[in-house]
Amino acid sequence: VNPENFTFNLSPEHLKRSVTKKPVMTDSYNASWRSKNEYVSAELMKLEKELGRKVTLTEKATITSAIIAGQNQAFPICKVIKDFMIEIVKDVIGIQGKNKIRWETPCGSQIIQRYNQSKLERIQTYAMGGANHYTVTSPNGEAAEGAIQLTINREQEDTVAAGDHALGLSPNYHHSLDAYICQQAILLAGTDNIATCHDCFYYRPGEVVRGVKGVKDAFYKLVTSDVLQNLLEANEVENMYVPNFGTDELLKDFDDAKYCFH
């Protein structure tokens, strides 16, 4: 931070977990800088009473950019994967000129991602500041003269929404793999007495250990499969290579790890 350009008076002690949590958690879903800045701003505004002053827009922007830069440094693989996904969109939608991206999860689920631009019609209404609300109806309760009913045209054009593809591929792809882990964990649990809620699994006490093993086995099967290579092949992407994440080194102590899914 260059003090000659602006004043930055926030101490690091104010940047608690709540300030960084949402920007970090939504990073792999390709959250934009603007969205992350909104999350940061909402948390920093809670500090204003404690600080006795307003948190400036510059301070909010500086912290947002610092969180992004710090995460890219601490977890570089996340950025590699996001960039990899964006390059796929550029190839499939931009170079090949296709209107959809497709892939298959390891359990055989067929996923098709398609985003088209929506054709919307903007009309003048009394709502949203268009006029005073009391003028919408006449004294007898009937619609006032000149009142316009708000309608939305949901028709989609044939034009591909490339930006939506770029933002959507990473979260959609991740969620499809999350669903695969959930499916496999249930199949590998060895019991019908299981319940799930989002990414949580519920077992009877005597079946927890076996259930945990099922989740770990599902996760291991996923990260050692060729899901990213299959994504390239399913979309006929050439001249791109799957990044090397050092999976073998990362998983060498996986079976004995006590911290994973406990």
Side-chain angles (χ1 to χ4, degrees), residues 18-229:
S18 60
V19 178
T20 63
K21 180 180 179 180
K22 283 188 177 181
V24 170
M25 295 296 291
T26 58
D27 185 68
S28 62
Y29 295 153
N30 270 347
S32 65
W33 186 95
R34 180 177 179 180
S35 295
K36 293 178 181 180
N37 184 246
E38 290 176 354
Y39 302 146
V40 169
S41 299
E43 292 299 325
L44 290 178
M45 287 175 65
K46 299 176 183 178
L47 288 173
E48 293 182 343
K49 185 176 181 181
E50 176 184 339
L51 296 172
R53 69 172 179 86
K54 294 286 186 180
V55 179
T56 67
L57 294 175
T58 301
E59 288 172 328
K60 296 172 183 177
T62 300
I63 292 171
T64 301
S65 297
I67 291 173
I68 295 172
Q71 186 170 15
N72 289 340
Q73 181 178 354
F75 307 104
I77 290 178
C78 291
K79 186 176 188 306
V80 170
I81 293 177
K82 289 190 301 178
D83 292 343
F84 178 78
M85 294 291 179
I86 291 175
E87 289 302 316
I88 290 177
V89 174
K90 289 180 179 178
D91 187 288
V92 178
I93 305 299
I95 298 176
Q96 297 186 44
K98 296 179 180 178
N99 63 352
K100 62 175 71 75
I101 299 175
R102 60 177 71 241
W103 65 91
E104 180 178 314
T105 67
C107 64
S109 296
Q110 301 291 325
I111 312 296
I112 296 177
Q113 173 177 292
R114 181 171 182 174
Y115 289 106
N116 284 3
Q117 294 182 1
S118 297
K119 184 178 180 181
L120 301 177
E121 181 180 354
R122 297 181 180 275
I123 60 175
Q124 180 67 38
T125 71
Y126 285 121
M128 302 302 291
N132 294 324
H133 290 291
Y134 64 81
T135 63
V136 175
T137 57
S138 60
N140 61 8
E142 298 178 355
E145 184 179 356
I148 301 175
Q149 182 180 0
L150 177 65
T151 59
I152 300 177
N153 189 340
R154 300 185 182 277
E155 178 184 353
Q156 285 194 329
E157 299 177 337
D158 291 333
T159 305
V160 178
D164 291 342
H165 271 290
L167 292 174
L169 180 58
S170 185
N172 290 338
Y173 191 74
H174 280 91
H175 283 312
S176 71
L177 298 184
D178 288 341
Y180 165 74
I181 290 179
C182 185
Q183 292 169 336
Q184 288 299 300
I186 293 173
L187 293 174
L188 296 172
T191 176
D192 293 333
N193 298 296
I194 179 175
T196 65
C197 179
H198 192 46
D199 57 354
C200 296
F201 298 84
Y202 300 86
Y203 306 92
R204 295 186 302 190
E207 297 168 340
V208 170
V209 173
R210 184 169 55 185
V212 168
K213 185 178 185 305
V215 176
K216 291 181 68 173
D217 288 347
F219 180 82
Y220 186 87
K221 183 177 180 181
L222 173 66
V223 298
T224 56
S225 62
D226 296 327
V227 288
L228 293 180
Q229 182 61 41

